[in-house]
Amino acid sequence: PASAPAQTETPLATEIVSATVYSRQAQIVREGEVTLEAGSYRLLCRDLPGGAVESSLDVVGSGLEGARIVGIDFRRAPGDTTLPPRAEEYRSELDRIKDDVRELELRRKTLSERESLTESIGGFSSGLAEERLADRSFGVTEWTAFLDFYERELMNVKSELRGVLEETQELVERRNHLRAELEAMQVASRQRVLTVECEVDEPGTMRVELSYIVPGAEWTPEYAVRYMEQNDVVELSYGARLVQSTGEDWDGVSVVLSTAKPHVGAAPPALAPHFVGMTTGTIRGRVTDATMGSPLPYANVSIVGTSFGTIADANGAFVLAGVPAGSHTLQARFIGYERERARNVRVTPGRTARADLALRPTVFTARETVGEVRALSTEGEAIATQPGVISHEGEIHVRGGRSSEVKPYVDGIAVADHVEATAQVTEFAASLAVPRAVDLETGAEPKRVRIVRRSFGGEYVYEAVPRLSEHVFLKGTFENPLEFPILPGQAEVYVEAAPAGGGAAVSDFVGRDRLEGVVPGDEFTLYLGADPNIEIEHNLRSREVLTRADDDEVRIAYEFVSHVESFKRHPVEMVVLDRVPVSKMKDVEVDDVDIEPEPPEWDEDGLLTWRFTLAPGERREFVVRYEIEYPAEFRPRDIGLEE
């Protein structure tokens, strides 16, 4: 209004004090103070990044009686943008990656042609060899040598091709990361100016808190599991891999890692109809940049509400085969771009539908929000405004725990010089407060932080599959002792044992296993590597053809034997797994099955399970016998016989 008092422009400097990191974004909290006389002001904050989601912006003032926020404005800062020096380094690396991907793509095409040629030669030679073997112009020795060459060549080319694809995928992931980081730099360099209009009745200092959502931050769990053989306990180190490309550096920031998944959305996915008895069709298309028209290589394409999905190729093209007939919604995602959907893609049985998707770079639109000023009257209220502190029903909670609960432990022993993460758990998510302030520049290499380390016992069993492996593996069953979930993630597994001649325990890396999601108190299993102190072997004792060569049926008797022997110093629980064949063909019969000792578990698929206690020095034997009869015109490999 014309009668409104004149406003004085006053700079408002803020700094990041906390960040709550989700799987793909973060909520940032900034704080600043400004000393004001009585009057009307326009507080100008130039610290906010261009990538801040304006609809998420919240402004709260406190500490000054009689102060009111009457308006908020959030605009682009005028003038040219200046990118940080890292931008040029990223562009140079992108050029190198482009050349490397091009070379790998040529290599992939060469290997694919070589693979096709090898398979064609194998198929042609198979038919030719049958003719030559029949007229004895081609000997079994020559044919066996050719088969060895063919299998070795095919295995080599497939291995090389797999390596090329894996290397290409790594480069593409790095390229996508760099592109997203450059985009974040460009967005962040277009700084926003936040204008907070306020009226002050009495002079004093006002504390201003700004919070907003910004994309480009994520964390993933990482685990190290150490089995200590001396006392049969497992030590779990629960860590996090933290990365951020938000366009602003974090310097001494309090970080909370949240298990909430805001990217999933608030509503469930649409369920596609299931048409029984109808055949399938194909969807082909291309994923491109909506502004440039250029392809988006290796974009993620899926059908909403189904398990159908694929990755586009280097030209952005994709194919989804075997799609049930009907109307579907197609979705494409690519880092640094908004998700795009193509609705009502009609799939007709036996035909191909076309659906192209053009993705737009991520852009955030502004929306004005209203802030408020809160006056603080007690010390408790002042403490409750600090990052990681919550006031609930008159009680102060520090990073998820009451004062009596905030106590650090290592291996169950309270210590004063070690701080672990604390957790605030609700029915929907857990928030894990990183124990120390985090320094992490935007676009920098991932930072690894430890959340908690805990030791606990479990139940152990040694598991062997002698038909497939000469090793015996230790499997542990445990109960999640933490007050927050164990999230799905990779676990590095170590075994710590004392040397046979005595001395300090030695820790060895034995491999990797994957932890699935486990809520507090639930059980989970984890394999802890192979134990060389238990030996196992598996052999084909005999294979006897019981029919004459001129019979219409071929009957073969098999006898397999497995041995397990313990060199442990104490009894162990063992599980041995084996199998007998189960026929799925009308003219193939499996009979005269004889197993010693008879397994207590034998399912309809022919899987056998023995469970027993193996004493030190004890050796056990397992024998599996059976006979298979099949028509003489069948070749053994056609029906999957074991040689």
Side-chain angles (χ1 to χ4, degrees):
S3 59
Q7 295 177 323
T8 302
E9 289 193 355
T10 302
L12 173 62
T14 64
E15 62 180 13
I16 300 176
V17 294
S18 69
T20 300
V21 183
Y22 303 96
S23 56
R24 296 178 185 172
Q25 58 193 24
Q27 182 179 26
I28 305 298
V29 175
R30 283 179 168 271
E31 289 183 355
E33 290 185 348
V34 60
T35 300
L36 304 172
E37 299 292 334
S40 182
Y41 293 89
R42 298 178 72 242
L43 306 181
L44 303 180
C45 178
R46 303 178 185 274
D47 298 330
L48 300 187
V53 180
E54 293 135 57
S55 60
S56 69
L57 180 66
D58 187 27
V59 182
V60 177
S62 60
L64 185 59
E65 291 284 358
R68 297 173 298 281
I69 292 178
V70 297
I72 294 175
D73 186 37
F74 198 42
R75 297 185 181 182
R76 299 275 185 198
D80 297 332
T81 61
T82 302
L83 295 179
R86 283 197 303 274
E88 191 58 38
E89 298 175 9
Y90 288 172
R91 289 195 179 103
S92 298
E93 187 176 352
L94 281 171
D95 290 339
R96 292 194 299 271
I97 290 176
K98 181 179 179 181
D99 294 338
D100 292 343
V101 170
R102 186 184 295 114
E103 292 181 7
L104 286 170
E105 182 64 18
L106 292 175
R107 178 66 175 157
R108 184 194 65 79
K109 290 181 179 179
T110 302
L111 288 170
S112 296
E113 292 172 358
R114 182 176 156 194
E115 180 185 32
S116 299
L117 178 61
T118 303
E119 291 177 341
S120 299
I121 292 174
F124 172 76
S125 301
S126 177
L128 182 62
E130 290 181 2
E131 298 176 6
R132 297 292 177 86
L133 287 170
D135 61 19
R136 299 186 178 181
S137 61
F138 190 56
V140 175
T141 302
E142 289 85 350
W143 175 237
T144 303
F146 172 77
L147 283 179
D148 290 342
F149 165 78
Y150 168 72
E151 292 177 357
R152 186 168 59 252
E153 175 67 12
L154 191 59
M155 184 180 301
N156 288 340
V157 71
K158 286 182 178 294
S159 177
E160 289 185 49
L161 187 58
R162 184 166 56 251
V164 168
L165 293 175
E166 290 175 354
E167 188 175 353
T168 301
Q169 184 64 28
E170 291 176 0
L171 286 174
V172 168
E173 290 177 359
R174 176 61 179 167
R175 181 185 63 188
N176 292 346
H177 170 75
L178 292 175
R179 285 178 173 175
E181 177 59 20
L182 278 174
E183 176 66 21
M185 288 181 183
Q186 292 167 353
V187 172
S189 64
R190 299 190 292 270
Q191 287 289 338
R192 303 294 186 98
V193 177
L194 171 65
T195 302
V196 180
E197 299 179 1
C198 63
E199 296 177 354
V200 179
D201 295 339
E202 301 290 339
T205 298
M206 183 167 70
R207 181 181 176 191
V208 180
E209 179 183 280
L210 315 175
S211 66
Y212 52 88
I213 297 292
V214 64
E218 63 178 324
W219 76 279
T220 52
E222 292 185 333
Y223 304 98
V225 176
R226 191 177 308 276
Y227 170 60
M228 289 169 282
E229 190 181 39
Q230 304 95 312
N231 49 9
D232 258 4
V233 299
V234 160
E235 177 188 84
L236 173 67
S237 290
Y238 192 145
R241 180 178 182 270
L242 178 63
V243 63
Q244 68 101 350
S245 299
T246 62
E248 52 186 352
D249 296 338
W250 296 356
D251 185 11
V253 173
S254 297
V255 172
V256 173
L257 309 175
S258 176
T259 64
K261 299 184 181 298
H263 67 276
V264 172
L271 182 64
H274 180 190
F275 300 104
V276 177
M278 298 187 70
T279 57
T280 62
T282 301
I283 300 176
R284 289 182 179 270
R286 195 161 176 257
V287 184
T288 58
D289 183 310
T291 57
M292 305 294 293
S294 56
L296 296 181
Y298 309 104
N300 184 288
V301 182
S302 60
I303 298 178
V304 176
T306 75
S307 60
F308 284 89
T310 188
I311 301 295
D313 64 15
N315 297 314
F318 65 89
V319 178
L320 284 166
V323 179
S327 183
H328 300 280
T329 297
L330 204 62
Q331 175 178 281
R333 291 177 296 174
F334 192 80
I335 188 168
Y337 288 77
E338 295 180 356
R339 181 185 63 184
E340 180 66 23
R341 287 185 174 183
R343 303 181 187 277
N344 299 320
V345 179
R346 189 71 185 175
V347 176
T348 305
R351 308 187 69 175
T352 299
R354 181 79 188 186
D356 296 325
L357 298 107
L359 278 60
R360 296 186 178 277
T362 304
V363 176
F364 304 104
T365 57
R367 189 179 76 183
E368 182 176 323
T369 60
V370 179
E372 60 177 337
V373 175
R374 293 199 299 261
L376 304 178
S377 58
T378 68
E379 291 180 356
E381 289 183 17
I383 294 173
T385 65
Q386 301 300 314
V389 181
I390 296 174
S391 177
H392 178 65
E393 296 182 352
E395 186 176 13
I396 297 297
H397 295 243
V398 181
R399 290 192 168 180
R402 299 175 178 86
S403 58
S404 60
E405 298 172 331
V406 183
K407 190 174 185 179
Y409 289 83
V410 173
D411 299 345
I413 302 173
V415 294
D417 59 349
H418 176 77
V419 181
E420 292 186 340
T422 54
Q424 181 179 352
V425 184
T426 69
E427 293 184 34
F428 294 95
S431 296
L432 312 175
V434 176
R436 291 181 174 83
V438 173
D439 298 327
L440 183 58
E441 293 182 352
T442 179
E445 291 297 317
K447 189 178 188 68
R448 287 170 169 81
V449 297
R450 192 176 77 185
I451 298 173
V452 67
R453 184 174 64 189
R454 197 68 52 83
S455 296
F456 46 88
E459 297 181 359
Y460 304 95
V461 63
Y462 287 89
E463 191 171 290
V465 189
R467 185 177 293 270
L468 303 179
S469 174
E470 60 184 8
H471 301 291
V472 177
F473 297 86
L474 177 61
K475 181 174 75 171
T477 301
F478 312 99
E479 182 180 290
N480 179 9
L482 307 175
E483 63 272 23
F484 47 84
I486 293 175
L487 300 177
Q490 194 81 1
E492 307 282 329
V493 181
Y494 300 81
V495 171
E496 184 176 290
V506 177
S507 182
D508 293 310
F509 173 68
V510 296
R512 296 178 176 87
D513 198 5
R514 180 169 177 80
L515 283 170
E516 301 302 331
V518 189
V519 300
D522 267 16
E523 285 190 346
F524 66 98
T525 61
L526 188 66
Y527 284 93
L528 302 170
D531 192 327
N533 295 307
I534 303 178
E535 292 185 354
I536 195 159
E537 58 179 321
H538 175 79
N539 295 294
L540 173 61
R541 177 176 284 174
S542 66
R543 177 184 180 276
E544 183 181 1
V545 180
L546 304 177
T547 55
R548 298 191 307 272
D550 57 350
D551 285 350
D552 294 335
E553 302 287 333
V554 177
R555 190 174 187 85
I556 304 177
Y558 292 89
E559 181 175 339
F560 294 93
V561 60
S562 300
H563 294 97
V564 59
E565 185 173 4
S566 175
F567 296 91
K568 305 284 288 185
R569 289 173 289 184
H570 53 80
V572 296
E573 298 301 314
M574 280 289 306
V575 174
V576 173
L577 306 172
D578 205 344
R579 69 187 179 201
V580 293
V582 174
S583 175
K584 296 294 185 181
M585 300 177 67
K586 177 182 178 182
D587 298 325
V588 178
E589 294 183 2
V590 179
D591 53 21
D592 291 340
V593 178
D594 181 24
I595 302 174
E596 298 177 4
E598 185 174 344
E601 298 177 35
W602 184 350
D603 68 17
E604 60 184 9
D605 293 326
L607 299 180
L608 316 173
T609 304
W610 291 272
R611 302 178 188 273
F612 55 93
T613 301
L614 189 64
E618 183 180 1
R619 176 183 172 92
R620 291 206 183 193
E621 180 178 273
F622 305 89
V623 180
V624 176
R625 305 183 187 91
Y626 54 83
E627 296 181 6
I628 296 182
E629 186 175 86
Y630 60 91
E633 65 267 19
F634 287 1
R635 294 178 298 181
R637 64 179 181 177
D638 292 336
I639 58 176
L641 291 189
E642 295 179 277
E643 298 296 335

